[in-house]
Amino acid sequence: MSTSSKLFEPYKLGPITLSNRIVMAPLTRNRAVAGLVPNPLAVDYYGQRASAGLLVTEASQISQQGQGYQDTPGIYSREQVAGWRKVTNRVHERGGRIFIQLWHVGRISHTSLQAKGGAPVAPSAIPAKGKTFVNGTFADVSAPRALTLEEIPGIIEGFRRGAANALEAGFDGVEIHGANGYLLDQFAKDGANKRTDAYGGSIENRAKLMLEVSKAVAAEAGAERTGIRISPVTPANDISDSNPQPLFDYIVDHLSALKLVYLHVIEGATGGPRDIALFDYASLRKRFAGAYMANNGYDLELANKVLAAGEADLIAFGKLFISNPDLVERLKHGAPLNAPDKATFYGGGAKGYTDYPTLSAALDPAE
Ligand code: 8OZ
């Protein structure tokens, strides 16, 4: 057996056993149908990828206010829960495991998506420089308003309800979206958070919302079924922090105390260079008692290296899972990989979604 085998060994994640250490990262696909219910094709899409040790769904908003792009699925209505139930059933039938990613976009939104055309919400009334996709086209994100102190319990409650809905829909657990310049990351980082109340200023105050949400979700779903995703240095969605190392050291110490089951870390710039900034990820790994899930630009070689060195427990692959439903089998056999087609990442139907061939189909097209 080669040293490369660890990726394909089972892993015990809280109460569940993953058949391997390969995770399908959350991937936004913008194919939800009326009522922001998962597309019926999502049943096939996730089902085709069930050989991953763990699937994490595309980011799914916990409320209308939490939506920032057209056609992203929700996890707040009965119809959405029923739609997701079909997805979890299929994945479980195929022996897979699946968590849903709980999302609030904060200021990365557009008035056309908000109730009564209102402003998106944020820690502070500072617009992000960035675009969203609405009404079939790219548009500047709208200027946000600052959440009042009185509104914050409602945000936490939204995440808690999302977790309750997720369990009802049959998910094995939930991943809190604390990354990529969305609401929880906006509160944590001083480029977006200029508040002067209990949720702004010091590291402790800025980390408060992410930690309160984590506590509420863990109380609902069980800490052993609650993971979280962070991205300490990403510039995604115009987010920045003047000193991310102590901020995330503090956050991760407290996430560990809450006994969350995994910490999912985007190392570097989301979908871009891993070396964009100096950051000590080993410090997070050391501080966190649960599983460390590494993400961003991993290939088989780097995955094997970090698993062998004990620097991570799980490796999340993104784009490669879009184009390779059987990524696990392909990596195991050193088989060639299908290249992902960017043109079909966001929106549309089956093309670029459920029609990427497996290796066996590619070798025997008549199959
Ligand atoms: C790509 C397009 C829209 C949203 C993220 C949820 O970056 C996203 C996202 C990615 O976390």
PDB file of all heavy atoms in Angstrom, residues 28 30 59 69 101 103 177 180 182 229 237 270 346, ligand 1:
ATOM      1  N   THR A  28     -21.882  26.996  -5.478  1.00  0.00           N
ATOM      2  CA  THR A  28     -23.083  27.717  -5.914  1.00  0.00           C
ATOM      3  C   THR A  28     -23.387  27.397  -7.370  1.00  0.00           C
ATOM      4  O   THR A  28     -22.505  27.501  -8.222  1.00  0.00           O
ATOM      5  CB  THR A  28     -22.863  29.223  -5.677  1.00  0.00           C
ATOM      6  OG1 THR A  28     -22.873  29.439  -4.260  1.00  0.00           O
ATOM      7  CG2 THR A  28     -23.940  30.073  -6.313  1.00  0.00           C
ATOM      8  N   ASN A  30     -26.922  28.072  -8.770  1.00  0.00           N
ATOM      9  CA  ASN A  30     -28.011  28.946  -9.239  1.00  0.00           C
ATOM     10  C   ASN A  30     -29.005  28.248 -10.156  1.00  0.00           C
ATOM     11  O   ASN A  30     -29.355  28.750 -11.218  1.00  0.00           O
ATOM     12  CB  ASN A  30     -27.425  30.163  -9.973  1.00  0.00           C
ATOM     13  CG  ASN A  30     -26.406  30.907  -9.141  1.00  0.00           C
ATOM     14  OD1 ASN A  30     -25.261  30.466  -9.036  1.00  0.00           O
ATOM     15  ND2 ASN A  30     -26.803  31.994  -8.531  1.00  0.00           N
ATOM     16  N   ALA A  59     -24.284  26.799  -0.960  1.00  0.00           N
ATOM     17  CA  ALA A  59     -24.760  27.707   0.078  1.00  0.00           C
ATOM     18  C   ALA A  59     -26.265  27.920  -0.083  1.00  0.00           C
ATOM     19  O   ALA A  59     -26.747  28.155  -1.193  1.00  0.00           O
ATOM     20  CB  ALA A  59     -24.028  29.042  -0.034  1.00  0.00           C
ATOM     21  N   TYR A  69     -28.106  36.343  -4.604  1.00  0.00           N
ATOM     22  CA  TYR A  69     -27.971  36.033  -6.037  1.00  0.00           C
ATOM     23  C   TYR A  69     -29.261  35.363  -6.478  1.00  0.00           C
ATOM     24  O   TYR A  69     -29.933  34.706  -5.671  1.00  0.00           O
ATOM     25  CB  TYR A  69     -26.831  35.044  -6.288  1.00  0.00           C
ATOM     26  CG  TYR A  69     -25.498  35.451  -5.717  1.00  0.00           C
ATOM     27  CD1 TYR A  69     -25.222  35.250  -4.362  1.00  0.00           C
ATOM     28  CD2 TYR A  69     -24.514  36.025  -6.520  1.00  0.00           C
ATOM     29  CE1 TYR A  69     -23.996  35.616  -3.832  1.00  0.00           C
ATOM     30  CE2 TYR A  69     -23.289  36.381  -5.996  1.00  0.00           C
ATOM     31  CZ  TYR A  69     -23.029  36.182  -4.649  1.00  0.00           C
ATOM     32  OH  TYR A  69     -21.814  36.529  -4.118  1.00  0.00           O
ATOM     33  N   GLN A 101     -24.996  23.724   3.674  1.00  0.00           N
ATOM     34  CA  GLN A 101     -24.335  24.958   4.103  1.00  0.00           C
ATOM     35  C   GLN A 101     -25.372  26.058   4.337  1.00  0.00           C
ATOM     36  O   GLN A 101     -26.148  26.407   3.445  1.00  0.00           O
ATOM     37  CB  GLN A 101     -23.304  25.418   3.064  1.00  0.00           C
ATOM     38  CG  GLN A 101     -22.357  26.454   3.679  1.00  0.00           C
ATOM     39  CD  GLN A 101     -21.483  27.157   2.671  1.00  0.00           C
ATOM     40  OE1 GLN A 101     -21.957  27.553   1.610  1.00  0.00           O
ATOM     41  NE2 GLN A 101     -20.217  27.344   3.002  1.00  0.00           N
ATOM     42  N   TRP A 103     -26.477  29.876   5.016  1.00  0.00           N
ATOM     43  CA  TRP A 103     -25.895  31.089   4.426  1.00  0.00           C
ATOM     44  C   TRP A 103     -26.730  32.333   4.696  1.00  0.00           C
ATOM     45  O   TRP A 103     -27.956  32.301   4.562  1.00  0.00           O
ATOM     46  CB  TRP A 103     -25.856  30.852   2.923  1.00  0.00           C
ATOM     47  CG  TRP A 103     -25.070  31.738   2.023  1.00  0.00           C
ATOM     48  CD1 TRP A 103     -23.966  32.465   2.306  1.00  0.00           C
ATOM     49  CD2 TRP A 103     -25.318  31.920   0.615  1.00  0.00           C
ATOM     50  NE1 TRP A 103     -23.504  33.078   1.153  1.00  0.00           N
ATOM     51  CE2 TRP A 103     -24.320  32.752   0.113  1.00  0.00           C
ATOM     52  CE3 TRP A 103     -26.282  31.426  -0.274  1.00  0.00           C
ATOM     53  CZ2 TRP A 103     -24.257  33.143  -1.237  1.00  0.00           C
ATOM     54  CZ3 TRP A 103     -26.223  31.790  -1.608  1.00  0.00           C
ATOM     55  CH2 TRP A 103     -25.221  32.656  -2.083  1.00  0.00           C
ATOM     56  N   HIS A 177     -21.845  28.974   7.092  1.00  0.00           N
ATOM     57  CA  HIS A 177     -21.012  29.727   6.135  1.00  0.00           C
ATOM     58  C   HIS A 177     -20.456  30.969   6.840  1.00  0.00           C
ATOM     59  O   HIS A 177     -21.129  31.982   6.965  1.00  0.00           O
ATOM     60  CB  HIS A 177     -21.838  30.115   4.915  1.00  0.00           C
ATOM     61  CG  HIS A 177     -21.021  30.539   3.727  1.00  0.00           C
ATOM     62  ND1 HIS A 177     -19.737  31.036   3.846  1.00  0.00           N
ATOM     63  CD2 HIS A 177     -21.295  30.528   2.399  1.00  0.00           C
ATOM     64  CE1 HIS A 177     -19.269  31.320   2.622  1.00  0.00           C
ATOM     65  NE2 HIS A 177     -20.193  31.015   1.733  1.00  0.00           N
ATOM     66  N   ASN A 180     -15.842  34.001   2.977  1.00  0.00           N
ATOM     67  CA  ASN A 180     -16.042  34.660   1.676  1.00  0.00           C
ATOM     68  C   ASN A 180     -16.765  36.001   1.691  1.00  0.00           C
ATOM     69  O   ASN A 180     -17.457  36.360   0.730  1.00  0.00           O
ATOM     70  CB  ASN A 180     -16.734  33.690   0.703  1.00  0.00           C
ATOM     71  CG  ASN A 180     -15.822  32.522   0.360  1.00  0.00           C
ATOM     72  OD1 ASN A 180     -14.618  32.605   0.586  1.00  0.00           O
ATOM     73  ND2 ASN A 180     -16.375  31.450  -0.175  1.00  0.00           N
ATOM     74  N   TYR A 182     -19.292  37.104   3.395  1.00  0.00           N
ATOM     75  CA  TYR A 182     -20.728  37.160   3.680  1.00  0.00           C
ATOM     76  C   TYR A 182     -20.946  37.582   5.134  1.00  0.00           C
ATOM     77  O   TYR A 182     -20.002  37.961   5.820  1.00  0.00           O
ATOM     78  CB  TYR A 182     -21.395  35.826   3.299  1.00  0.00           C
ATOM     79  CG  TYR A 182     -21.248  35.549   1.806  1.00  0.00           C
ATOM     80  CD1 TYR A 182     -20.454  34.523   1.336  1.00  0.00           C
ATOM     81  CD2 TYR A 182     -21.861  36.382   0.872  1.00  0.00           C
ATOM     82  CE1 TYR A 182     -20.288  34.300  -0.036  1.00  0.00           C
ATOM     83  CE2 TYR A 182     -21.702  36.179  -0.500  1.00  0.00           C
ATOM     84  CZ  TYR A 182     -20.917  35.137  -0.948  1.00  0.00           C
ATOM     85  OH  TYR A 182     -20.749  34.940  -2.296  1.00  0.00           O
ATOM     86  N   ARG A 229     -17.303  26.973   8.036  1.00  0.00           N
ATOM     87  CA  ARG A 229     -16.306  27.309   7.017  1.00  0.00           C
ATOM     88  C   ARG A 229     -15.829  28.740   7.234  1.00  0.00           C
ATOM     89  O   ARG A 229     -16.651  29.653   7.398  1.00  0.00           O
ATOM     90  CB  ARG A 229     -16.929  27.185   5.627  1.00  0.00           C
ATOM     91  CG  ARG A 229     -15.902  27.230   4.503  1.00  0.00           C
ATOM     92  CD  ARG A 229     -16.563  27.033   3.151  1.00  0.00           C
ATOM     93  NE  ARG A 229     -15.653  26.363   2.225  1.00  0.00           N
ATOM     94  CZ  ARG A 229     -15.625  26.591   0.909  1.00  0.00           C
ATOM     95  NH1 ARG A 229     -16.454  27.455   0.353  1.00  0.00           N
ATOM     96  NH2 ARG A 229     -14.777  25.958   0.136  1.00  0.00           N
ATOM     97  N   ASN A 237     -15.403  39.143  -2.337  1.00  0.00           N
ATOM     98  CA  ASN A 237     -16.499  40.050  -1.991  1.00  0.00           C
ATOM     99  C   ASN A 237     -16.022  41.271  -1.203  1.00  0.00           C
ATOM    100  O   ASN A 237     -16.718  41.754  -0.300  1.00  0.00           O
ATOM    101  CB  ASN A 237     -17.605  39.290  -1.246  1.00  0.00           C
ATOM    102  CG  ASN A 237     -18.312  38.313  -2.163  1.00  0.00           C
ATOM    103  OD1 ASN A 237     -18.731  38.679  -3.261  1.00  0.00           O
ATOM    104  ND2 ASN A 237     -18.430  37.057  -1.737  1.00  0.00           N
ATOM    105  N   THR A 270     -10.075  32.640  -2.165  1.00  0.00           N
ATOM    106  CA  THR A 270     -11.082  31.666  -2.596  1.00  0.00           C
ATOM    107  C   THR A 270     -11.006  31.426  -4.110  1.00  0.00           C
ATOM    108  O   THR A 270     -11.155  32.364  -4.897  1.00  0.00           O
ATOM    109  CB  THR A 270     -12.492  32.171  -2.227  1.00  0.00           C
ATOM    110  OG1 THR A 270     -12.476  32.570  -0.863  1.00  0.00           O
ATOM    111  CG2 THR A 270     -13.535  31.084  -2.457  1.00  0.00           C
ATOM    112  N   TYR A 346     -22.961  28.653 -13.282  1.00  0.00           N
ATOM    113  CA  TYR A 346     -24.050  29.370 -12.601  1.00  0.00           C
ATOM    114  C   TYR A 346     -25.274  29.471 -13.503  1.00  0.00           C
ATOM    115  O   TYR A 346     -25.232  30.104 -14.554  1.00  0.00           O
ATOM    116  CB  TYR A 346     -23.588  30.779 -12.208  1.00  0.00           C
ATOM    117  CG  TYR A 346     -22.279  30.784 -11.447  1.00  0.00           C
ATOM    118  CD1 TYR A 346     -21.141  31.409 -11.963  1.00  0.00           C
ATOM    119  CD2 TYR A 346     -22.165  30.147 -10.212  1.00  0.00           C
ATOM    120  CE1 TYR A 346     -19.940  31.411 -11.268  1.00  0.00           C
ATOM    121  CE2 TYR A 346     -20.971  30.133  -9.516  1.00  0.00           C
ATOM    122  CZ  TYR A 346     -19.859  30.763 -10.046  1.00  0.00           C
ATOM    123  OH  TYR A 346     -18.666  30.755  -9.354  1.00  0.00           O
TER     124      TYR A 346
HETATM  125  C1  8OZ B   1     -19.823  31.780  -6.304  1.00  0.00           C
HETATM  126  C2  8OZ B   1     -20.887  32.550  -6.733  1.00  0.00           C
HETATM  127  C3  8OZ B   1     -21.821  32.986  -5.827  1.00  0.00           C
HETATM  128  C4  8OZ B   1     -21.688  32.674  -4.493  1.00  0.00           C
HETATM  129  C5  8OZ B   1     -19.177  31.614  -1.920  1.00  0.00           C
HETATM  130  C6  8OZ B   1     -21.539  31.151  -1.904  1.00  0.00           C
HETATM  131  O1  8OZ B   1     -18.216  32.108  -2.497  1.00  0.00           O
HETATM  132  C7  8OZ B   1     -20.485  31.543  -2.606  1.00  0.00           C
HETATM  133  C8  8OZ B   1     -20.612  31.905  -4.045  1.00  0.00           C
HETATM  134  C9  8OZ B   1     -19.682  31.469  -4.976  1.00  0.00           C
HETATM  135  O2  8OZ B   1     -19.084  31.174  -0.777  1.00  0.00           O
END
